[in-house]
Structure formats: C-alpha cells, structure tokens
Amino acid sequence: MKSLKHLLSTLVLAATVVATAQEEPKDKPGADRKGPPEAAKPAPAAPAEKDPAPSVTEGEVTIGGKVIRYKATAGYLVQRDEKGAAKANIFYVAYTKADEKDPARRPVTFSFNGGPGAASVWLHLGGLGPKRAVMTDTGGPVSAPYRYEDNAFSWLDETDLVFMDPVSSGFSRAAKDQDPKQFHGFTGDLESLADFIQVWTTRNSRWLSPKFLVGESYGTTRVTALSERLQQKYDLYVNGVMLVSSILNFQTARFAPGNDDPYPLFLPTYTATAWYHKRLQGEWAKTLAGALKRAEAFAAKDYTLALLQGDALPAVERERIAAELAALTGLSLDYVKKQNLRVSIGEFIRELRRDEGVVVGRLDSSVAGILDESGDGEGGRGGFFDPSMEAIRGPYAAAMSDYARNVLKFETDLPYGVLVNVQPWSYKNVENTYLDTSVMLKNAMVRNPAMKVWVANGYYDLATPYYATDWTFRHMHLPEAVRKNVTMTYYEAGHMMYTHLDSLKKLKADFSQWFRATLASQQQR
C-alpha cells in the first residue's frame, strides 16, 4: 500500500513539474527583454458582434500645389475581451489617399495627443490632418464664431493618417458596465492603444505598409512605449517614431522635494521666455540664440553644481549663482534668493510680469494673459489659468464638433472632450520610480535598428522644455549604431508649434525631409 501511495505521489509531482516547465512567463510593458520573445502571443478573440458601421466620406486638399484626394472614415472600433464582450468604444478618424495603385503598401501613421485626457484633435486639426482650426498667424486667440479651413501643410501627401481618441477623451467611452478607470493609467492606456493599432492594421490589410507613430506631449510617452509594446505583444515593428514636444522621463519635469533635476533643465526655456517678453538686459537681450547658448552653458555646469551642494553651497558662491540666475530669467535678485535658487514653472510664469498684472503661458510662454490669483482656478491655484491653453481650447473644440458632424457625417449627441479629467492617472510601470519610457524606446531601437526617431521641440514650451528632452536623449546611452537614427529640430514657438504659422510651415518641411529620407534608407537595406 505504501509503495502504491509513493508511486502515485511521484506521478503527481512529475506532472506538476512538466506543467510548470511549459508555462511561459508573462512580459510587462517596459521589460528589457533578452533573447527570443518570452511572452505568450494573445489568443484569438472569440466571435463577437460586428462594430457599428463607420461614416465614410470623400474630400480633397491641395498640398504643395498638388491636389490630394482622400477617403475619410470616422467611427468606432469596439475593443473586446477574450470572450468577445465589449470593453471600450474607441473613436477614430482615418484618412486614406484615393486612387492608390497598391494601398496596402502606402505608409500609414497613427497619431495620439497627450494630457493625459487630451483627444487627438490637436494634431488632427492643428498640423497633420486635411483641415486646420483657424488661429492668428502667431497662434494667438481669436474671437467666436470660430472656423476651420483646408490645411495646405497636411501630412496626407506623404502618408495615410489615423487619429484615435484614448478612452474618455473625444467621443471615446468605456463600454456599458465597464469601469473607465481601468484605462486611466499608463499600463491600461498602453494596452488599449496597442490593441487598436493591431486590430485596425489587420482589418484594413496594412501589415505590409510602412508604419509610423506620432505623439505630442504625453502622446510621446505613449508612442515610445508602443514602439516596444507592439514588438513584444504583436510582432509589429514600426518604421519610425515622431515626437512632438517630448516627455519620456518624468523626473525631468516634476518639481518635487529632493528632485533638483527640473531646475537647470527648465532654465533655457525661462531664458527664451524672458527674452521674448523683453526682460533680459545687456548682451543676452540681443539674440535668442545667444541667450540660449549662455543659459545652456550655465545650466550644464555652474547651476547644476550649485544645486548639488544644497545647503553646503558657500555664501559667496550662492550670491554669484543668484545674480546669474536672475539675469538669465528676468526675475529680481531678491526673488531668486527667496526661492533658494529654485524657481518652479508655476512660480516663474506668474512672477515674470507680475508688476504688469500679466501671466505668461505654460504651453506657449510667448502668449500672455491676465494674472488673477483669486477664486477657485485650475489645479487649486486660485484664479490662475494658462492663457495659451485658453487661446486654443475654444477654437479647436468648436471646429471638431462641427467638422465631425457636418463634414465627416458622424452622428452623436456626445460632447467632444478636447481635454477631460482622467485623474487620478497612474504613471506606474515600475513601482516607486518616475515614469521613464526612454528605456522602452531604447529597447525598440536596439531590436529594430532600422527604426528612425524624429523629435520636434519648441523654444517657448514650458510644458515639455526642449533642454529636458535633449538631456533625456543624451542619457539614454544608445549604442553608437542607432544613436545616429535620432533627429532633433527646433522652433520659435511653444508646445503646439503648429499653431504658429511660420513654425507650421517649417514643421511640414522638416517632416517631409525626414520622412522621405527614412523610407529611402529602409528601402536600401
């Protein structure tokens, strides 16, 4: 009897060991995967009801003197679980060029904005799509009634375009009985967007098309993470990643106790802002380029070394650093000293022109508005608001609400949320650290060495400062073989540089040059 029991125990143990050995470890977004893919591929979705029929219209736009005819598809892609039950209804608008001989091989670009909580309307009706919300030539506010017009600088002559709104933004919503909070965080959002790209690519027979990702602001966080996640989960490799006003490493932009990194990284943009508003004196007031060169040199050496010393900084050195910091920011020496050589973005934009009762913009620091610190304003900061955000919010919301219904013929009573509250948003991909997707981008570039990266930066962008982006890429420690695959361009504009007409023109020219060179280099491989 004992021997029989022993035999049975041995067989059960053996079966357990075999079953355990056959299990494959699950991968996580951002994991530095080594060797062959370890993640199990997703099981095919169970049969489910078809998505609602989209609205399909036709249009044309003249770009560079050439008429581009296109088909616009606006509708919902229903995301489902493994049992086929609906999880979310993702609103998208896809533009595909008409009369293509081989449409399956034409490039396609997937576009996201940021926030989190921002819809895709900003890139869609700002710089990339065939229509453009009308602003002043310098991106300043216009009065209602607002309007939109053909965009002569659209990217549609080079690539098909797919704009999608993450869950809760735009017209996208969680499905009935689904908690939208499951999408309100780095991981849930990433999985949702990766699923959308895979499904859209499959349904539209675009697996053989060159594929690109473009994001703005937190959208750059999304697309850099997607460049790796699409490889990991779906074996979908993209040709290029385009970052408009980039933020990958959030430690560079979080003014928090114990984190001095943002202060020197924001300084050159403080200097650019002070230069624009004529708050610099002497030699540095002459040219923007000269002022930025001095600010970058001071930030990289003396200022950083001073902050590293903390309270141990000698008094004489503190006086010298304070004087230089005041000169480069346009702030008073007394104020800089009072702030212990550390001026946050919220303090800077209110202090620079406080004597005039003026606040400068965060998204675009060349824009100015009325300083009001009374009442209940944004973020619990009294009556404070970002004048550069207010300048564009109304025109873009009105343009998209009309365009979707009257041109794209998409019928819904839902309000189009251009920027909605999705807080609290979970920024976690690794516990107890700042979110940093530069690691994921590096992984994608190493595994896909043909992939190119283009980064567009605005000098007056205080949301994602250009010098912080430069620092992030310099600290990715990319192998020499792929370091050359990164291209940086700069604009005398803000976060949404396309609202500034001259910068929109330059953005289009820079894109076309980079895009064509990317495709040409990959065809030669």
Side-chain angles (χ1 to χ4, degrees):
M1 181 62 71
K2 290 184 178 180
S3 59
L4 178 59
K5 287 183 177 180
H6 178 73
L7 177 60
L8 290 174
S9 298
T10 302
L11 290 173
V12 170
L13 178 61
T16 303
V17 171
V18 171
T20 303
Q22 289 177 342
E23 290 180 357
E24 294 185 347
K26 295 180 179 179
D27 57 345
K28 293 181 179 180
D32 187 2
R33 192 181 64 193
K34 297 179 180 180
E38 297 176 350
K41 299 306 174 185
E49 296 180 6
K50 291 184 178 181
D51 293 358
S55 170
V56 180
T57 55
E58 295 180 347
E60 62 179 42
V61 61
T62 301
I63 305 171
K66 183 178 179 181
V67 176
I68 305 296
R69 295 180 57 251
Y70 60 85
K71 178 178 74 172
T73 304
Y76 282 120
L77 187 151
V78 181
Q79 292 191 322
R80 305 179 187 277
D81 62 21
E82 63 278 2
K83 296 181 179 179
K87 292 181 62 180
N89 300 305
I90 307 296
F91 177 72
Y92 70 96
V93 180
Y95 297 98
T96 52
K97 187 170 179 288
D99 303 325
E100 278 293 298
K101 294 181 179 179
D102 190 0
R105 292 182 180 272
R106 177 170 159 80
V108 59
T109 298
F110 298 92
S111 177
F112 310 90
N113 274 90
S120 61
V121 62
W122 310 103
L123 286 173
H124 185 177
L125 295 187
L128 278 59
K131 300 292 181 182
R132 174 174 174 259
V134 174
M135 303 290 295
T136 69
D137 286 354
T138 58
V142 293
S143 299
Y146 306 115
R147 62 190 183 90
Y148 52 93
E149 62 186 10
D150 284 355
N151 181 14
F153 309 101
S154 170
W155 295 5
L156 194 52
D157 57 333
E158 306 282 359
T159 174
D160 290 345
L161 298 166
V162 183
F163 300 93
M164 70 212 74
D165 298 332
V167 176
S168 298
S169 70
F171 291 137
S172 295
R173 300 291 187 272
K176 184 180 179 181
D177 299 326
Q178 291 284 331
D179 186 353
K181 292 181 181 178
Q182 66 183 292
F183 303 100
H184 296 172
F186 172 76
T187 300
D189 177 73
L190 176 62
E191 296 299 337
S192 173
L193 298 178
D195 177 74
F196 177 97
I197 292 172
Q198 182 272 328
V199 173
W200 190 93
T201 299
T202 299
R203 290 183 182 177
N204 291 274
S205 300
R206 302 303 292 266
W207 275 91
L208 298 183
S209 293
K211 287 174 280 294
F212 292 81
L213 307 174
V214 59
E216 175 184 282
S217 194
Y218 187 81
T220 65
T221 313
R222 286 174 164 135
V223 301
T224 48
L226 282 166
S227 68
E228 181 195 49
R229 191 58 179 153
L230 289 168
Q231 288 180 10
Q232 284 185 333
K233 192 172 183 180
Y234 299 115
D235 292 324
L236 192 157
Y237 288 65
V238 299
N239 296 70
V241 171
M242 298 167 278
L243 310 179
V244 178
S245 303
S246 174
I247 180 165
L248 310 186
N249 184 341
F250 280 72
Q251 187 168 348
T252 65
R254 292 292 184 258
F255 293 94
N259 180 31
D260 280 342
D261 286 359
Y263 298 104
L265 299 180
F266 273 67
L267 177 60
T269 304
Y270 289 172
T271 300
T273 305
W275 179 87
Y276 184 89
H277 291 279
K278 303 186 185 306
R279 290 291 172 129
L280 298 184
Q281 304 295 324
E283 186 70 22
W284 299 334
K286 292 182 179 180
T287 66
L288 176 60
L292 291 178
K293 183 177 180 180
R294 176 56 191 162
E296 290 177 13
F298 178 66
K301 296 179 181 178
D302 291 2
Y303 188 30
T304 294
L305 290 174
L307 295 178
L308 281 172
Q309 295 177 69
D311 293 340
L313 183 68
V316 173
E317 185 68 1
R318 183 180 296 272
E319 288 291 328
R320 185 182 74 82
I321 295 297
E324 180 110 359
L325 190 58
L328 286 169
T329 59
L331 303 176
S332 72
L333 180 60
D334 286 344
Y335 185 79
V336 170
K337 289 181 178 180
K338 175 185 169 184
Q339 296 303 119
N340 194 24
L341 310 180
R342 294 162 174 83
V343 180
S344 71
I345 176 180
E347 293 160 344
F348 174 79
I349 61 181
R350 284 176 285 184
E351 188 64 24
L352 181 66
R353 296 180 60 181
R354 184 185 291 277
D355 58 334
E356 303 172 82
V358 170
V359 60
V360 302
R362 173 178 172 268
L363 294 179
D364 186 342
S365 63
S366 71
V367 176
I370 299 171
L371 177 62
D372 178 14
E373 296 183 288
S374 63
D376 295 323
E378 296 176 347
R381 298 190 296 268
F384 166 75
F385 67 97
D386 180 356
S388 57
M389 179 76 250
E390 297 303 321
I392 58 179
R393 193 163 186 163
Y396 277 73
M400 187 63 191
S401 296
D402 183 87
Y403 178 60
R405 292 169 175 84
N406 295 321
V407 178
L408 298 178
K409 305 301 181 183
F410 181 80
E411 298 294 334
T412 181
D413 289 333
L414 288 174
Y416 189 86
V418 296
L419 184 60
V420 299
N421 185 2
V422 292
Q423 300 302 326
W425 185 271
S426 172
Y427 288 87
K428 295 178 181 178
N429 66 332
V430 179
E431 292 293 333
N432 300 319
T433 65
Y434 289 98
L435 177 61
D436 182 5
T437 60
S438 68
V439 177
M440 303 175 76
L441 177 61
K442 177 182 178 180
N443 291 342
M445 294 177 71
V446 169
R447 289 162 175 76
N448 181 11
M451 187 178 82
K452 308 294 185 182
V453 179
W454 172 44
V455 190
N457 307 272
Y459 286 130
Y460 304 126
D461 177 7
L462 276 170
T464 58
Y466 80 91
Y467 195 60
T469 298
D470 289 351
W471 184 95
T472 298
F473 275 85
R474 288 196 302 268
H475 288 78
M476 284 174 63
H477 306 298
L478 290 169
E480 191 69 36
V482 294
R483 196 177 303 168
K484 66 181 185 302
N485 289 352
V486 178
T487 299
M488 296 269 187
T489 55
Y490 302 87
Y491 306 85
E492 290 191 32
H495 193 66
M496 299 161 171
M497 65 280 295
Y498 44 78
T499 64
H500 184 271
L501 185 58
D502 286 344
S503 294
L504 172 65
K505 295 176 181 178
K506 183 177 184 303
L507 185 73
K508 165 62 174 176
D510 290 343
F511 161 73
S512 293
Q513 180 180 11
W514 174 86
F515 194 80
R516 294 172 187 175
T518 295
L519 292 176
S521 69
Q522 291 166 348
Q523 290 169 357
Q524 294 171 3
R525 293 179 69 91

